[in-house]
Structures are given as C-alpha cells and as structure tokens.
Amino acid sequence: MNRAWGREGGRSVAFSDREILARIIECEAGGEGDTGMRAVACVVMNRVRVTYGEYGRLYTIREVVYQPRQFTCVMEVVGGQYNMQNIYNMRPTDVHYSIADWAIAGHRLTNLGFALWYFNPFSPNCRQNFPSQVGRFVIRLGDHCFYNPTESYAET
C-alpha cells in the first residue's frame, strides 16, 4: 500500500496533511492529555520547519510522518506482527483536529524548545542523548522524553 493512502471501510483514501497529523497525534499520544498531544504535534511541525539536517530535506507533514522508521504508528507490521495501533485504524475526534490546526498555524509549546525527537523509555529515566549524539534531552512530558537537535544534527 502506498503510505500516502489509508484504508477506510475497505477502500483506499488519500489523507490530507491535516488528517495525517490528527491521526499521528491520536495514535502516538492519545493517552497523554492535551499537553502530550500538542508536544507530538510540535515535533512533527518542527521537522517540517527545520531548514537543515536530515529533516531539512522534507517539506510537508506527509513527508515527515511517512519517512521510513520514524513513527511506529505508521508501521502496519512491527516485529513481524500486525500493529493494531496504526494511523489507519485511528478515528480522530475534534480534539485531535483542533491540536493539528493549532500546530499547523505555527503555535508551539515553549518548554519543548525545537525538539525533533521523542520516545517512551518505559522507565522513569530519560536518556541524555537520543538518537545517538544528535539529540539532547530537553524535557519529559508524561511518558515521553523530548530531544532538541545538537550541533552534530546539522551533519545528518
């Protein structure tokens, strides 16, 4: 399946960037409350807006979200098993669309900095660097640790 398409009721449909962002917000952070969902939306939009490094070559929400191996929620198969929690199975509500619109309009959480990455460590501690040495820990919100780019990110 072309990753720019989803499945609704057995048929393929093209998702708009707004729809993709609302679905990734729900899938990646639906249980993290408004702040956690806004933080995930900010990471996606930070990647869209950054002008250098790996993400500086991507220009749309679609390109960012569907970049290979970036978001588990875009993968239909994880570890050889069907991933039930993927964006194609999400049914965003008004809150997800509202947060997507907020982020697309240029709003951001100031305590997040310009984070380009996040992950759930499934422990109380966040690593100081993620991924590798290109991201530096900035804040933990709910279950997710967020990371700003280091100077070495520009070389990616």
Side-chain angles (χ1 to χ4, degrees), residues 6-97:
R7 287 181 286 165
E8 291 268 326
R11 61 187 171 85
S12 293
V13 295
F15 292 145
S16 68
D17 276 5
R18 179 181 186 246
E19 180 74 20
I20 291 167
L21 185 56
R23 285 172 179 261
I24 204 79
I25 290 165
E26 179 186 13
C27 189
E28 292 278 332
E32 296 287 321
D34 280 5
T35 300
M37 291 188 289
R38 287 179 192 277
V40 165
C42 286
V43 167
V44 172
M45 295 311 298
N46 286 347
R47 288 183 183 189
V48 169
R49 293 183 177 119
V50 70
T51 59
Y52 61 94
E54 173 184 7
Y55 303 123
R57 296 183 289 277
L58 306 174
Y59 303 103
T60 67
I61 292 168
R62 177 181 311 278
E63 290 174 320
V64 166
V65 170
Y66 290 110
Q67 185 185 24
R69 298 174 305 282
Q70 297 298 305
F71 298 98
T72 304
C73 282
V74 178
M75 302 174 197
E76 288 189 88
V77 177
V78 175
Q81 304 227 342
Y82 180 70
N83 176 24
M84 288 291 295
Q85 187 172 337
N86 66 62
I87 65 171
Y88 312 109
N89 292 337
M90 296 294 107
R91 298 294 177 261
T93 64
D94 288 345
V95 70
H96 304 110
Y97 290 111

